[in-house]
């Protein structure tokens, strides 16, 4: 991805975190599919238009996944791989798989998958103190990782964009999002309709 695309995606993720901050704490996690396409008015498709589709997760049903997003994301990857069985009922109750497959199969000329992301709240243990923290984790089509974090009460979030995924402090969601990107960005690997 170009520097401009990385910058625009980072801005999009910051906007998502800022919107979550305005809504307050105690919100269910959110799954995001980020795509872009040529701007219709731009000559030769040189300018692109980004969209982030919010895919709400059913927080009550998410409780069936003991490890939360760390378990849900691999299930979603499996459900979206045409060579695997259809999603388990637990997954179907957590997220609208039909909407995802329709978005991925959208025939709009030049439409491309940019990233998958999750916005969620977590607890940070630091010096024997517990702190509430909101995170936006994402992986783009080039397998670059993004992490936006904001401790409760902080005026501004922290941003980290990382090209390397082999370090010890990589979030657990990163490898799951990377597998989701890999599965859904391959032509012919996405089911055209939900079953």
């Amino acid at each position: 991805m170009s520097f401009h695309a990385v910058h625009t995606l980072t801005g999009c993720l910051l906007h998502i975190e800022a919107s979550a901050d305005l809504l307050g704490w105690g919100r269910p996690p959110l799954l995001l599919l980020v795509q872009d396409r040529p701007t219709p008015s731009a000559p030769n498709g040189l300018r692109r238009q980004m969209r982030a589709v919010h895919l709400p997760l059913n927080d009550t049903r998410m409780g069936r996944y003991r490890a939360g997003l760390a378990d849900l994301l691999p299930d979603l990857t499996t459900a979206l791989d045409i060579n695997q069985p259809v999603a388990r009922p637990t997954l179907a109750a957590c997220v609208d798989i039909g909407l995802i497959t329709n978005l991925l199969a959208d025939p709009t000329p030049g439409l491309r998958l940019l990233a998958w992301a999750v916005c969620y709240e977590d607890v940070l243990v630091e010096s024997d103190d517990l702190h509430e923290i909101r995170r936006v984790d994402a992986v783009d089509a080039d397998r670059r990782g993004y992490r936006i974090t904001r401790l409760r009460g902080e005026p501004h979030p922290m941003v980290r964009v990382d090209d390397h995924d082999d370090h010890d402090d990589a979030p657990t969601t990163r490898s799951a999002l990377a597998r989701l990107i890999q599965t859904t960005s391959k032509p012919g690997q996405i089911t055209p309709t939900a079953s």
Side-chain angles (χ1 to χ4, degrees), residues 120 135 137 146-147 160 167-176:
Y120 61 101
R135 301 183 192 275
D137 294 338
Y146 301 75
R147 175 163 259 194
R160 180 176 180 174
H167 50 81
D168 293 338
D169 64 340
T172 57
T173 56
R174 180 158 180 184
S175 62

Side-chain angles (χ1 to χ4, degrees), residues 65-115:
Y65 284 101
R66 286 190 304 213
L69 290 170
D71 283 346
L72 176 121
L73 292 172
D75 262 11
L76 180 58
T77 301
T78 300
L80 294 173
D81 187 333
I82 198 165
N83 299 317
Q84 299 295 323
V86 176
R88 298 187 322 203
T90 300
L91 176 64
C94 290
V95 66
D96 187 346
I97 299 167
L99 174 60
I100 295 170
T101 56
N102 288 340
L103 289 166
L104 292 170
D106 185 336
T108 301
L111 184 71
R112 66 181 180 178
L113 175 66
L114 284 187

